[in-house]
Amino acid sequence: MDLSYILNELGEERAQYFNAVAPPIVQSSNFAFDTVADLRRAFADEMGGYLYSRGLNPTIDILRKKLAALDEAEDALVFANGAAAIFAGVLPFVKAGDHIISVQQPYSWAQRTFDGILTRYGIETTYIAGTEIGQFEAALRPNTTFIYLESPNSWNFAVQPLAEVAALAKPRGIVTLIDNSYCSPLHQRPHELGIDLCMQTATKYIGGHSDTLGGVLTGSHTHIRRIFELDYLAIGSGVSPFNAWLLLRGLRTLPQRLAHVSRSAQEVIAFLKGHPKVGGLLYPLDPSFPQYELARRQMTGAGGLLTFLLKDGTCARITTFCESLKHFLMAVSWGGHESLVLPKCAGIDPAAFDARNPEHQYIRLYTGLEDPGYLIRDLEQALEKV
Ligand SMILES: *Cc1c(COP(=O)(O)O)cnc(C)c1O
């Protein structure tokens, strides 16, 4: 489907709402019926129409259609945030006694779901590097029912061989889910490679303005219906109509924003790589990246998120650098209009900081919609201070 058609027309039945160009926010909790027979039909199949906004809602449906089409998937569900999408994407496909294979260091709340919640129900998770298919094969058990991927990882950008993982999982009836937040559907289409469920946080690139949270799951009609009919409705973590409307507004400019932040990232990378105080840099589509060839096969772009290290990256030097920046805000998240910096050491007890461990030294940058020259001048003055 044409990207312009998806973003500007798909799902928008304007004749139904006064030919308004912007879709209405249908801020209604419930929907009325004329006959008992109609109501009965709605109870029997809540996916078939509008009954109650914990299930389906017309504003959210416009977003669902566009997000499914962007992923070339049959259907989509939209959640209040990405963590809720992860939870509802995993839960229906595991039961007591099952085994999950997950990439190591997945998004922190995915890992807490596996280690803190699912363990209560006797579901065990094995973490693997996931960079080679052999690591998945070695971790398989007779009771493995789920494989959790995040490619690229959002700190070190490690990637997994997606088509090979799908080929391993499918004949064994193992469900695969990928956190595709780093790429967004514009830069990676995991369903084409055989992955069952595609998750992304819409808080980042889809919303794009740091003013709403959101989460997305896309997949086949069968998988999405299975999630919707029990877990989605029971957990009740669907997006609100208003936030769905903000996400629709964000989607309109997704290609332009992604193109801008990707170009800016390239300029920032060129600057950092040439700077004498920079000790290393990670970006999946930079030729220096250890998995560059695999990343290039799977991804068509890499966006605005990158990680770099200072030479002699002590906690004190990293702190000075981050606090000297004037235009990069120090904050979690990414994908918005604003450039961000996030030092890994902020999440590490200073007594446990190990200056020989490169991971402890990670400084993650997100290049936003500012002019790249403006950002580079800021990086330059902050590097002078360390
Ligand atoms: C932010 C993020 C999430 C979680 O999304 P929320 O909308 O914050 O709940 C999941 N995965 C990755 C890679 C993220 O960056």
Side-chain angles (χ1 to χ4, degrees), residues 79-86 106-110 148 150 152-155 179-182 199-204 212-215 305 333-334 364:
F79 294 81
N81 51 66
I86 293 171
Y107 181 68
S108 53
W109 289 100
Y148 187 89
E150 182 181 329
N153 175 279
S154 67
W155 270 96
D179 182 339
N180 196 36
S181 300
Y182 183 82
M199 173 271 156
Q200 63 175 313
T201 163
T203 310
K204 315 287 164 64
T212 180
L213 285 87
L305 203 59
S333 197
W334 45 275
R364 195 176 77 176

PDB file of all heavy atoms in Angstrom, residues 79-86 106-110 148 150 152-155 179-182 199-204 212-215 305 333-334 364, ligand 1:
ATOM      1  N   PHE A  79      -2.488   0.393  22.438  1.00  0.00           N
ATOM      2  CA  PHE A  79      -2.498   0.345  23.906  1.00  0.00           C
ATOM      3  C   PHE A  79      -2.153   1.709  24.483  1.00  0.00           C
ATOM      4  O   PHE A  79      -1.676   2.601  23.785  1.00  0.00           O
ATOM      5  CB  PHE A  79      -1.475  -0.697  24.381  1.00  0.00           C
ATOM      6  CG  PHE A  79      -1.834  -2.103  23.985  1.00  0.00           C
ATOM      7  CD1 PHE A  79      -1.561  -2.565  22.702  1.00  0.00           C
ATOM      8  CD2 PHE A  79      -2.477  -2.950  24.865  1.00  0.00           C
ATOM      9  CE1 PHE A  79      -1.901  -3.854  22.320  1.00  0.00           C
ATOM     10  CE2 PHE A  79      -2.828  -4.239  24.490  1.00  0.00           C
ATOM     11  CZ  PHE A  79      -2.542  -4.695  23.217  1.00  0.00           C
ATOM     12  N   ALA A  80      -2.392   1.832  25.806  1.00  0.00           N
ATOM     13  CA  ALA A  80      -2.096   3.088  26.497  1.00  0.00           C
ATOM     14  C   ALA A  80      -0.611   3.413  26.471  1.00  0.00           C
ATOM     15  O   ALA A  80      -0.219   4.573  26.532  1.00  0.00           O
ATOM     16  CB  ALA A  80      -2.591   3.009  27.940  1.00  0.00           C
ATOM     17  N   ASN A  81       0.233   2.396  26.371  1.00  0.00           N
ATOM     18  CA  ASN A  81       1.684   2.605  26.287  1.00  0.00           C
ATOM     19  C   ASN A  81       2.330   1.328  25.769  1.00  0.00           C
ATOM     20  O   ASN A  81       1.665   0.296  25.626  1.00  0.00           O
ATOM     21  CB  ASN A  81       2.265   3.007  27.660  1.00  0.00           C
ATOM     22  CG  ASN A  81       1.824   2.045  28.745  1.00  0.00           C
ATOM     23  OD1 ASN A  81       2.198   0.878  28.726  1.00  0.00           O
ATOM     24  ND2 ASN A  81       0.988   2.515  29.653  1.00  0.00           N
ATOM     25  N   GLY A  82       3.622   1.413  25.503  1.00  0.00           N
ATOM     26  CA  GLY A  82       4.332   0.272  24.928  1.00  0.00           C
ATOM     27  C   GLY A  82       4.446  -0.898  25.897  1.00  0.00           C
ATOM     28  O   GLY A  82       4.367  -2.063  25.491  1.00  0.00           O
ATOM     29  N   ALA A  83       4.634  -0.604  27.181  1.00  0.00           N
ATOM     30  CA  ALA A  83       4.764  -1.683  28.166  1.00  0.00           C
ATOM     31  C   ALA A  83       3.482  -2.523  28.201  1.00  0.00           C
ATOM     32  O   ALA A  83       3.542  -3.757  28.308  1.00  0.00           O
ATOM     33  CB  ALA A  83       5.075  -1.100  29.542  1.00  0.00           C
ATOM     34  N   ALA A  84       2.338  -1.871  28.100  1.00  0.00           N
ATOM     35  CA  ALA A  84       1.057  -2.594  28.083  1.00  0.00           C
ATOM     36  C   ALA A  84       0.955  -3.475  26.842  1.00  0.00           C
ATOM     37  O   ALA A  84       0.420  -4.591  26.896  1.00  0.00           O
ATOM     38  CB  ALA A  84      -0.111  -1.605  28.129  1.00  0.00           C
ATOM     39  N   ALA A  85       1.474  -2.986  25.721  1.00  0.00           N
ATOM     40  CA  ALA A  85       1.449  -3.782  24.478  1.00  0.00           C
ATOM     41  C   ALA A  85       2.341  -5.019  24.626  1.00  0.00           C
ATOM     42  O   ALA A  85       1.988  -6.110  24.161  1.00  0.00           O
ATOM     43  CB  ALA A  85       1.901  -2.930  23.293  1.00  0.00           C
ATOM     44  N   ILE A  86       3.483  -4.866  25.298  1.00  0.00           N
ATOM     45  CA  ILE A  86       4.366  -6.016  25.523  1.00  0.00           C
ATOM     46  C   ILE A  86       3.632  -7.047  26.387  1.00  0.00           C
ATOM     47  O   ILE A  86       3.581  -8.238  26.056  1.00  0.00           O
ATOM     48  CB  ILE A  86       5.679  -5.571  26.222  1.00  0.00           C
ATOM     49  CG1 ILE A  86       6.507  -4.693  25.280  1.00  0.00           C
ATOM     50  CG2 ILE A  86       6.489  -6.798  26.681  1.00  0.00           C
ATOM     51  CD1 ILE A  86       7.713  -4.022  25.942  1.00  0.00           C
ATOM     52  N   PRO A 106      16.456  -6.891  27.168  1.00  0.00           N
ATOM     53  CA  PRO A 106      15.363  -6.289  26.401  1.00  0.00           C
ATOM     54  C   PRO A 106      14.910  -5.035  27.143  1.00  0.00           C
ATOM     55  O   PRO A 106      15.434  -4.729  28.223  1.00  0.00           O
ATOM     56  CB  PRO A 106      14.277  -7.361  26.455  1.00  0.00           C
ATOM     57  CG  PRO A 106      14.489  -8.033  27.777  1.00  0.00           C
ATOM     58  CD  PRO A 106      15.988  -8.025  27.977  1.00  0.00           C
ATOM     59  N   TYR A 107      13.954  -4.315  26.603  1.00  0.00           N
ATOM     60  CA  TYR A 107      13.406  -3.132  27.277  1.00  0.00           C
ATOM     61  C   TYR A 107      13.124  -3.490  28.742  1.00  0.00           C
ATOM     62  O   TYR A 107      12.601  -4.560  29.037  1.00  0.00           O
ATOM     63  CB  TYR A 107      12.129  -2.680  26.570  1.00  0.00           C
ATOM     64  CG  TYR A 107      11.558  -1.451  27.222  1.00  0.00           C
ATOM     65  CD1 TYR A 107      12.228  -0.233  27.150  1.00  0.00           C
ATOM     66  CD2 TYR A 107      10.369  -1.508  27.950  1.00  0.00           C
ATOM     67  CE1 TYR A 107      11.727   0.888  27.780  1.00  0.00           C
ATOM     68  CE2 TYR A 107       9.870  -0.388  28.586  1.00  0.00           C
ATOM     69  CZ  TYR A 107      10.567   0.804  28.496  1.00  0.00           C
ATOM     70  OH  TYR A 107      10.074   1.912  29.127  1.00  0.00           O
ATOM     71  N   SER A 108      13.486  -2.593  29.666  1.00  0.00           N
ATOM     72  CA  SER A 108      13.528  -2.944  31.093  1.00  0.00           C
ATOM     73  C   SER A 108      12.207  -3.516  31.611  1.00  0.00           C
ATOM     74  O   SER A 108      12.212  -4.465  32.399  1.00  0.00           O
ATOM     75  CB  SER A 108      13.946  -1.730  31.915  1.00  0.00           C
ATOM     76  OG  SER A 108      13.134  -0.619  31.612  1.00  0.00           O
ATOM     77  N   TRP A 109      11.082  -2.985  31.159  1.00  0.00           N
ATOM     78  CA  TRP A 109       9.802  -3.482  31.688  1.00  0.00           C
ATOM     79  C   TRP A 109       9.388  -4.808  31.066  1.00  0.00           C
ATOM     80  O   TRP A 109       8.584  -5.528  31.644  1.00  0.00           O
ATOM     81  CB  TRP A 109       8.713  -2.422  31.588  1.00  0.00           C
ATOM     82  CG  TRP A 109       9.012  -1.356  32.591  1.00  0.00           C
ATOM     83  CD1 TRP A 109       9.603  -0.144  32.356  1.00  0.00           C
ATOM     84  CD2 TRP A 109       8.830  -1.446  34.020  1.00  0.00           C
ATOM     85  NE1 TRP A 109       9.792   0.520  33.540  1.00  0.00           N
ATOM     86  CE2 TRP A 109       9.326  -0.243  34.572  1.00  0.00           C
ATOM     87  CE3 TRP A 109       8.318  -2.419  34.870  1.00  0.00           C
ATOM     88  CZ2 TRP A 109       9.309   0.013  35.946  1.00  0.00           C
ATOM     89  CZ3 TRP A 109       8.296  -2.162  36.234  1.00  0.00           C
ATOM     90  CH2 TRP A 109       8.786  -0.959  36.763  1.00  0.00           C
ATOM     91  N   ALA A 110       9.973  -5.151  29.924  1.00  0.00           N
ATOM     92  CA  ALA A 110       9.764  -6.505  29.386  1.00  0.00           C
ATOM     93  C   ALA A 110      10.485  -7.490  30.303  1.00  0.00           C
ATOM     94  O   ALA A 110       9.932  -8.506  30.728  1.00  0.00           O
ATOM     95  CB  ALA A 110      10.287  -6.601  27.953  1.00  0.00           C
ATOM     96  N   TYR A 148      11.066 -13.850  22.409  1.00  0.00           N
ATOM     97  CA  TYR A 148      10.944 -12.398  22.520  1.00  0.00           C
ATOM     98  C   TYR A 148      12.194 -11.728  21.947  1.00  0.00           C
ATOM     99  O   TYR A 148      13.309 -11.982  22.394  1.00  0.00           O
ATOM    100  CB  TYR A 148      10.760 -11.998  23.995  1.00  0.00           C
ATOM    101  CG  TYR A 148      10.464 -10.530  24.162  1.00  0.00           C
ATOM    102  CD1 TYR A 148       9.152 -10.055  24.140  1.00  0.00           C
ATOM    103  CD2 TYR A 148      11.494  -9.603  24.317  1.00  0.00           C
ATOM    104  CE1 TYR A 148       8.884  -8.711  24.266  1.00  0.00           C
ATOM    105  CE2 TYR A 148      11.227  -8.246  24.444  1.00  0.00           C
ATOM    106  CZ  TYR A 148       9.914  -7.818  24.424  1.00  0.00           C
ATOM    107  OH  TYR A 148       9.637  -6.470  24.553  1.00  0.00           O
ATOM    108  N   GLU A 150      14.166  -8.068  20.343  1.00  0.00           N
ATOM    109  CA  GLU A 150      14.210  -6.608  20.260  1.00  0.00           C
ATOM    110  C   GLU A 150      15.363  -6.286  19.333  1.00  0.00           C
ATOM    111  O   GLU A 150      16.525  -6.417  19.710  1.00  0.00           O
ATOM    112  CB  GLU A 150      14.420  -5.972  21.639  1.00  0.00           C
ATOM    113  CG  GLU A 150      14.416  -4.443  21.583  1.00  0.00           C
ATOM    114  CD  GLU A 150      14.639  -3.773  22.936  1.00  0.00           C
ATOM    115  OE1 GLU A 150      14.232  -4.337  23.968  1.00  0.00           O
ATOM    116  OE2 GLU A 150      15.243  -2.684  22.956  1.00  0.00           O
ATOM    117  N   PRO A 152      16.738  -3.521  16.392  1.00  0.00           N
ATOM    118  CA  PRO A 152      17.878  -3.461  17.302  1.00  0.00           C
ATOM    119  C   PRO A 152      17.449  -3.142  18.741  1.00  0.00           C
ATOM    120  O   PRO A 152      16.405  -2.559  18.956  1.00  0.00           O
ATOM    121  CB  PRO A 152      18.713  -2.292  16.758  1.00  0.00           C
ATOM    122  CG  PRO A 152      18.172  -1.962  15.426  1.00  0.00           C
ATOM    123  CD  PRO A 152      16.754  -2.409  15.426  1.00  0.00           C
ATOM    124  N   ASN A 153      18.338  -3.526  19.668  1.00  0.00           N
ATOM    125  CA  ASN A 153      18.216  -3.128  21.060  1.00  0.00           C
ATOM    126  C   ASN A 153      18.349  -1.599  21.120  1.00  0.00           C
ATOM    127  O   ASN A 153      19.040  -1.007  20.311  1.00  0.00           O
ATOM    128  CB  ASN A 153      19.362  -3.812  21.837  1.00  0.00           C
ATOM    129  CG  ASN A 153      19.429  -3.401  23.283  1.00  0.00           C
ATOM    130  OD1 ASN A 153      19.952  -2.349  23.625  1.00  0.00           O
ATOM    131  ND2 ASN A 153      18.919  -4.255  24.159  1.00  0.00           N
ATOM    132  N   SER A 154      17.698  -0.964  22.086  1.00  0.00           N
ATOM    133  CA  SER A 154      17.678   0.501  22.073  1.00  0.00           C
ATOM    134  C   SER A 154      18.843   1.145  22.833  1.00  0.00           C
ATOM    135  O   SER A 154      18.874   2.360  22.993  1.00  0.00           O
ATOM    136  CB  SER A 154      16.349   1.013  22.618  1.00  0.00           C
ATOM    137  OG  SER A 154      16.229   0.711  23.985  1.00  0.00           O
ATOM    138  N   TRP A 155      19.836   0.361  23.272  1.00  0.00           N
ATOM    139  CA  TRP A 155      21.053   0.940  23.880  1.00  0.00           C
ATOM    140  C   TRP A 155      22.304   0.552  23.098  1.00  0.00           C
ATOM    141  O   TRP A 155      23.120   1.383  22.760  1.00  0.00           O
ATOM    142  CB  TRP A 155      21.228   0.468  25.329  1.00  0.00           C
ATOM    143  CG  TRP A 155      20.568   1.368  26.329  1.00  0.00           C
ATOM    144  CD1 TRP A 155      19.324   1.206  26.879  1.00  0.00           C
ATOM    145  CD2 TRP A 155      21.096   2.583  26.896  1.00  0.00           C
ATOM    146  NE1 TRP A 155      19.051   2.225  27.757  1.00  0.00           N
ATOM    147  CE2 TRP A 155      20.128   3.085  27.801  1.00  0.00           C
ATOM    148  CE3 TRP A 155      22.297   3.278  26.746  1.00  0.00           C
ATOM    149  CZ2 TRP A 155      20.317   4.257  28.534  1.00  0.00           C
ATOM    150  CZ3 TRP A 155      22.493   4.444  27.479  1.00  0.00           C
ATOM    151  CH2 TRP A 155      21.503   4.922  28.358  1.00  0.00           C
ATOM    152  N   ASP A 179      10.093  -6.360  19.518  1.00  0.00           N
ATOM    153  CA  ASP A 179       9.986  -4.931  19.841  1.00  0.00           C
ATOM    154  C   ASP A 179      10.692  -4.196  18.698  1.00  0.00           C
ATOM    155  O   ASP A 179      11.912  -4.238  18.582  1.00  0.00           O
ATOM    156  CB  ASP A 179      10.651  -4.657  21.195  1.00  0.00           C
ATOM    157  CG  ASP A 179      10.536  -3.192  21.614  1.00  0.00           C
ATOM    158  OD1 ASP A 179      10.321  -2.334  20.738  1.00  0.00           O
ATOM    159  OD2 ASP A 179      10.681  -2.922  22.826  1.00  0.00           O
ATOM    160  N   ASN A 180       9.888  -3.562  17.854  1.00  0.00           N
ATOM    161  CA  ASN A 180      10.407  -2.889  16.652  1.00  0.00           C
ATOM    162  C   ASN A 180      10.459  -1.377  16.841  1.00  0.00           C
ATOM    163  O   ASN A 180      10.451  -0.617  15.869  1.00  0.00           O
ATOM    164  CB  ASN A 180       9.502  -3.246  15.453  1.00  0.00           C
ATOM    165  CG  ASN A 180      10.124  -2.935  14.101  1.00  0.00           C
ATOM    166  OD1 ASN A 180      11.328  -3.084  13.914  1.00  0.00           O
ATOM    167  ND2 ASN A 180       9.304  -2.497  13.155  1.00  0.00           N
ATOM    168  N   SER A 181      10.526  -0.943  18.103  1.00  0.00           N
ATOM    169  CA  SER A 181      10.438   0.494  18.386  1.00  0.00           C
ATOM    170  C   SER A 181      11.569   1.290  17.752  1.00  0.00           C
ATOM    171  O   SER A 181      11.372   2.409  17.295  1.00  0.00           O
ATOM    172  CB  SER A 181      10.465   0.724  19.899  1.00  0.00           C
ATOM    173  OG  SER A 181       9.390   0.078  20.522  1.00  0.00           O
ATOM    174  N   TYR A 182      12.772   0.721  17.757  1.00  0.00           N
ATOM    175  CA  TYR A 182      13.913   1.479  17.241  1.00  0.00           C
ATOM    176  C   TYR A 182      13.712   1.851  15.771  1.00  0.00           C
ATOM    177  O   TYR A 182      14.007   2.964  15.357  1.00  0.00           O
ATOM    178  CB  TYR A 182      15.215   0.676  17.409  1.00  0.00           C
ATOM    179  CG  TYR A 182      16.441   1.436  16.947  1.00  0.00           C
ATOM    180  CD1 TYR A 182      17.050   2.362  17.783  1.00  0.00           C
ATOM    181  CD2 TYR A 182      16.960   1.250  15.670  1.00  0.00           C
ATOM    182  CE1 TYR A 182      18.153   3.092  17.350  1.00  0.00           C
ATOM    183  CE2 TYR A 182      18.058   1.973  15.234  1.00  0.00           C
ATOM    184  CZ  TYR A 182      18.647   2.889  16.082  1.00  0.00           C
ATOM    185  OH  TYR A 182      19.741   3.608  15.647  1.00  0.00           O
ATOM    186  N   MET A 199       5.646  -5.377  17.921  1.00  0.00           N
ATOM    187  CA  MET A 199       5.278  -4.415  18.954  1.00  0.00           C
ATOM    188  C   MET A 199       6.101  -3.157  18.736  1.00  0.00           C
ATOM    189  O   MET A 199       7.253  -3.227  18.296  1.00  0.00           O
ATOM    190  CB  MET A 199       5.581  -5.045  20.313  1.00  0.00           C
ATOM    191  CG  MET A 199       5.414  -4.151  21.503  1.00  0.00           C
ATOM    192  SD  MET A 199       6.953  -3.264  21.841  1.00  0.00           S
ATOM    193  CE  MET A 199       6.305  -1.857  22.714  1.00  0.00           C
ATOM    194  N   GLN A 200       5.503  -2.013  18.982  1.00  0.00           N
ATOM    195  CA  GLN A 200       6.319  -0.813  19.086  1.00  0.00           C
ATOM    196  C   GLN A 200       5.672   0.133  20.085  1.00  0.00           C
ATOM    197  O   GLN A 200       4.459   0.117  20.273  1.00  0.00           O
ATOM    198  CB  GLN A 200       6.518  -0.119  17.738  1.00  0.00           C
ATOM    199  CG  GLN A 200       5.244   0.384  17.119  1.00  0.00           C
ATOM    200  CD  GLN A 200       5.475   1.176  15.842  1.00  0.00           C
ATOM    201  OE1 GLN A 200       6.338   2.038  15.794  1.00  0.00           O
ATOM    202  NE2 GLN A 200       4.694   0.885  14.831  1.00  0.00           N
ATOM    203  N   THR A 201       6.513   0.927  20.748  1.00  0.00           N
ATOM    204  CA  THR A 201       5.969   1.990  21.563  1.00  0.00           C
ATOM    205  C   THR A 201       5.605   3.129  20.618  1.00  0.00           C
ATOM    206  O   THR A 201       6.456   3.593  19.854  1.00  0.00           O
ATOM    207  CB  THR A 201       6.965   2.457  22.634  1.00  0.00           C
ATOM    208  OG1 THR A 201       6.525   3.731  23.112  1.00  0.00           O
ATOM    209  CG2 THR A 201       8.379   2.575  22.124  1.00  0.00           C
ATOM    210  N   ALA A 202       4.356   3.571  20.662  1.00  0.00           N
ATOM    211  CA  ALA A 202       3.941   4.715  19.841  1.00  0.00           C
ATOM    212  C   ALA A 202       4.313   6.026  20.515  1.00  0.00           C
ATOM    213  O   ALA A 202       4.207   7.097  19.916  1.00  0.00           O
ATOM    214  CB  ALA A 202       2.436   4.649  19.587  1.00  0.00           C
ATOM    215  N   THR A 203       4.772   5.917  21.779  1.00  0.00           N
ATOM    216  CA  THR A 203       5.234   7.101  22.526  1.00  0.00           C
ATOM    217  C   THR A 203       6.392   7.772  21.795  1.00  0.00           C
ATOM    218  O   THR A 203       6.581   8.974  21.893  1.00  0.00           O
ATOM    219  CB  THR A 203       5.724   6.656  23.922  1.00  0.00           C
ATOM    220  OG1 THR A 203       4.727   5.831  24.516  1.00  0.00           O
ATOM    221  CG2 THR A 203       6.022   7.832  24.818  1.00  0.00           C
ATOM    222  N   LYS A 204       7.178   6.985  21.076  1.00  0.00           N
ATOM    223  CA  LYS A 204       8.407   7.490  20.490  1.00  0.00           C
ATOM    224  C   LYS A 204       8.128   8.092  19.109  1.00  0.00           C
ATOM    225  O   LYS A 204       7.636   9.186  19.043  1.00  0.00           O
ATOM    226  CB  LYS A 204       9.461   6.384  20.446  1.00  0.00           C
ATOM    227  CG  LYS A 204       9.552   5.564  21.762  1.00  0.00           C
ATOM    228  CD  LYS A 204      10.192   6.302  22.921  1.00  0.00           C
ATOM    229  CE  LYS A 204       9.947   5.686  24.286  1.00  0.00           C
ATOM    230  NZ  LYS A 204      10.497   4.350  24.507  1.00  0.00           N
ATOM    231  N   THR A 212       2.216  12.322  24.378  1.00  0.00           N
ATOM    232  CA  THR A 212       1.308  11.210  24.686  1.00  0.00           C
ATOM    233  C   THR A 212       2.092   9.904  24.723  1.00  0.00           C
ATOM    234  O   THR A 212       3.148   9.803  24.084  1.00  0.00           O
ATOM    235  CB  THR A 212       0.178  11.080  23.649  1.00  0.00           C
ATOM    236  OG1 THR A 212      -0.668   9.972  24.023  1.00  0.00           O
ATOM    237  CG2 THR A 212       0.703  10.809  22.248  1.00  0.00           C
ATOM    238  N   LEU A 213       1.584   8.942  25.464  1.00  0.00           N
ATOM    239  CA  LEU A 213       2.121   7.589  25.395  1.00  0.00           C
ATOM    240  C   LEU A 213       1.236   6.752  24.488  1.00  0.00           C
ATOM    241  O   LEU A 213       0.077   7.119  24.221  1.00  0.00           O
ATOM    242  CB  LEU A 213       2.184   6.947  26.784  1.00  0.00           C
ATOM    243  CG  LEU A 213       3.309   7.452  27.698  1.00  0.00           C
ATOM    244  CD1 LEU A 213       2.858   8.681  28.462  1.00  0.00           C
ATOM    245  CD2 LEU A 213       3.758   6.388  28.656  1.00  0.00           C
ATOM    246  N   GLY A 214       1.755   5.635  24.033  1.00  0.00           N
ATOM    247  CA  GLY A 214       0.962   4.724  23.217  1.00  0.00           C
ATOM    248  C   GLY A 214       1.771   3.476  22.936  1.00  0.00           C
ATOM    249  O   GLY A 214       3.008   3.492  23.059  1.00  0.00           O
ATOM    250  N   GLY A 215       1.097   2.375  22.612  1.00  0.00           N
ATOM    251  CA  GLY A 215       1.788   1.132  22.266  1.00  0.00           C
ATOM    252  C   GLY A 215       1.008   0.408  21.184  1.00  0.00           C
ATOM    253  O   GLY A 215      -0.211   0.551  21.096  1.00  0.00           O
ATOM    254  N   LEU A 305      18.657   7.651  17.056  1.00  0.00           N
ATOM    255  CA  LEU A 305      19.165   7.189  18.351  1.00  0.00           C
ATOM    256  C   LEU A 305      20.553   6.569  18.193  1.00  0.00           C
ATOM    257  O   LEU A 305      20.728   5.657  17.379  1.00  0.00           O
ATOM    258  CB  LEU A 305      18.188   6.148  18.902  1.00  0.00           C
ATOM    259  CG  LEU A 305      18.157   5.906  20.410  1.00  0.00           C
ATOM    260  CD1 LEU A 305      17.812   7.168  21.176  1.00  0.00           C
ATOM    261  CD2 LEU A 305      17.154   4.815  20.738  1.00  0.00           C
ATOM    262  N   SER A 333      13.276   8.338  27.190  1.00  0.00           N
ATOM    263  CA  SER A 333      12.450   8.364  25.976  1.00  0.00           C
ATOM    264  C   SER A 333      13.254   8.911  24.796  1.00  0.00           C
ATOM    265  O   SER A 333      14.469   9.140  24.896  1.00  0.00           O
ATOM    266  CB  SER A 333      11.168   9.159  26.190  1.00  0.00           C
ATOM    267  OG  SER A 333      10.231   8.849  25.190  1.00  0.00           O
ATOM    268  N   TRP A 334      12.602   9.054  23.661  1.00  0.00           N
ATOM    269  CA  TRP A 334      13.204   9.533  22.419  1.00  0.00           C
ATOM    270  C   TRP A 334      12.097   9.537  21.369  1.00  0.00           C
ATOM    271  O   TRP A 334      10.973   9.116  21.653  1.00  0.00           O
ATOM    272  CB  TRP A 334      14.389   8.646  21.987  1.00  0.00           C
ATOM    273  CG  TRP A 334      14.137   7.166  22.071  1.00  0.00           C
ATOM    274  CD1 TRP A 334      14.272   6.369  23.174  1.00  0.00           C
ATOM    275  CD2 TRP A 334      13.671   6.300  21.025  1.00  0.00           C
ATOM    276  NE1 TRP A 334      13.937   5.080  22.880  1.00  0.00           N
ATOM    277  CE2 TRP A 334      13.567   5.007  21.569  1.00  0.00           C
ATOM    278  CE3 TRP A 334      13.351   6.503  19.675  1.00  0.00           C
ATOM    279  CZ2 TRP A 334      13.138   3.907  20.818  1.00  0.00           C
ATOM    280  CZ3 TRP A 334      12.933   5.410  18.928  1.00  0.00           C
ATOM    281  CH2 TRP A 334      12.841   4.129  19.501  1.00  0.00           C
ATOM    282  N   ARG A 364      23.733   7.887  25.607  1.00  0.00           N
ATOM    283  CA  ARG A 364      22.814   7.748  24.474  1.00  0.00           C
ATOM    284  C   ARG A 364      22.302   9.123  24.069  1.00  0.00           C
ATOM    285  O   ARG A 364      21.891   9.907  24.912  1.00  0.00           O
ATOM    286  CB  ARG A 364      21.644   6.839  24.851  1.00  0.00           C
ATOM    287  CG  ARG A 364      20.866   6.360  23.639  1.00  0.00           C
ATOM    288  CD  ARG A 364      19.783   5.388  24.043  1.00  0.00           C
ATOM    289  NE  ARG A 364      18.648   6.075  24.612  1.00  0.00           N
ATOM    290  CZ  ARG A 364      17.516   5.473  24.991  1.00  0.00           C
ATOM    291  NH1 ARG A 364      17.387   4.169  24.837  1.00  0.00           N
ATOM    292  NH2 ARG A 364      16.529   6.157  25.496  1.00  0.00           N
TER     293      ARG A 364
HETATM  294  C1  LIG B   1       9.973   3.269  25.490  1.00  0.00           C
HETATM  295  C2  LIG B   1      10.154   1.893  25.044  1.00  0.00           C
HETATM  296  C3  LIG B   1       9.218   0.882  25.359  1.00  0.00           C
HETATM  297  C4  LIG B   1       8.040   1.112  26.250  1.00  0.00           C
HETATM  298  O1  LIG B   1       7.132   2.013  25.738  1.00  0.00           O
HETATM  299  P1  LIG B   1       6.241   2.943  26.682  1.00  0.00           P
HETATM  300  O2  LIG B   1       5.348   3.621  25.720  1.00  0.00           O
HETATM  301  O3  LIG B   1       7.193   3.863  27.391  1.00  0.00           O
HETATM  302  O4  LIG B   1       5.542   2.057  27.643  1.00  0.00           O
HETATM  303  C5  LIG B   1       9.444  -0.389  24.855  1.00  0.00           C
HETATM  304  N1  LIG B   1      10.513  -0.679  24.097  1.00  0.00           N
HETATM  305  C6  LIG B   1      11.427   0.258  23.790  1.00  0.00           C
HETATM  306  C7  LIG B   1      12.585  -0.134  22.951  1.00  0.00           C
HETATM  307  C8  LIG B   1      11.286   1.565  24.253  1.00  0.00           C
HETATM  308  O5  LIG B   1      12.218   2.474  23.944  1.00  0.00           O
END
